[in-house]
Amino acid sequence: MGLFDSFKKKKEGQKKAEEAAKPQGKYDQPCALCGESGTEKKWMGQYWHKKCMRAAKKGAKKMI
């Protein structure tokens, strides 16, 4: 074991924690509005995040 092995282990542990902290949605499809994956809702053949769905609905109400 070298002197810097303990630092490498800490970095590897942080990477695993960051991967686990990513939001996991119900579907592994890109969002219709923002394009990011991990969507929660499917509506009319498109996949949406809950926050993007709310934003789209608010925007549509303003158009009427």
Side-chain angles (χ1 to χ4, degrees):
M1 292 188 85
L3 178 63
F4 297 108
D5 288 338
S6 62
F7 294 120
K8 289 180 184 177
K9 289 181 183 178
K10 288 181 185 178
K11 287 183 182 178
E12 290 174 1
Q14 289 175 351
K15 288 180 184 177
K16 290 179 184 178
E18 289 175 0
E19 290 176 4
K22 288 183 181 179
Q24 296 293 323
K26 189 174 180 181
Y27 303 104
D28 191 28
Q29 298 289 328
C31 178
L33 187 64
C34 67
E36 294 181 12
S37 62
T39 54
E40 294 99 11
K41 296 189 121 202
K42 183 177 180 182
W43 184 66
M44 293 189 63
Q46 295 181 337
Y47 298 91
W48 299 78
H49 292 115
K50 289 182 182 178
K51 65 178 181 127
C52 294
M53 178 71 85
R54 287 192 297 265
K57 284 184 180 181
K58 286 181 182 178
K61 284 182 183 179
K62 292 178 183 177
M63 289 183 191
I64 295 177

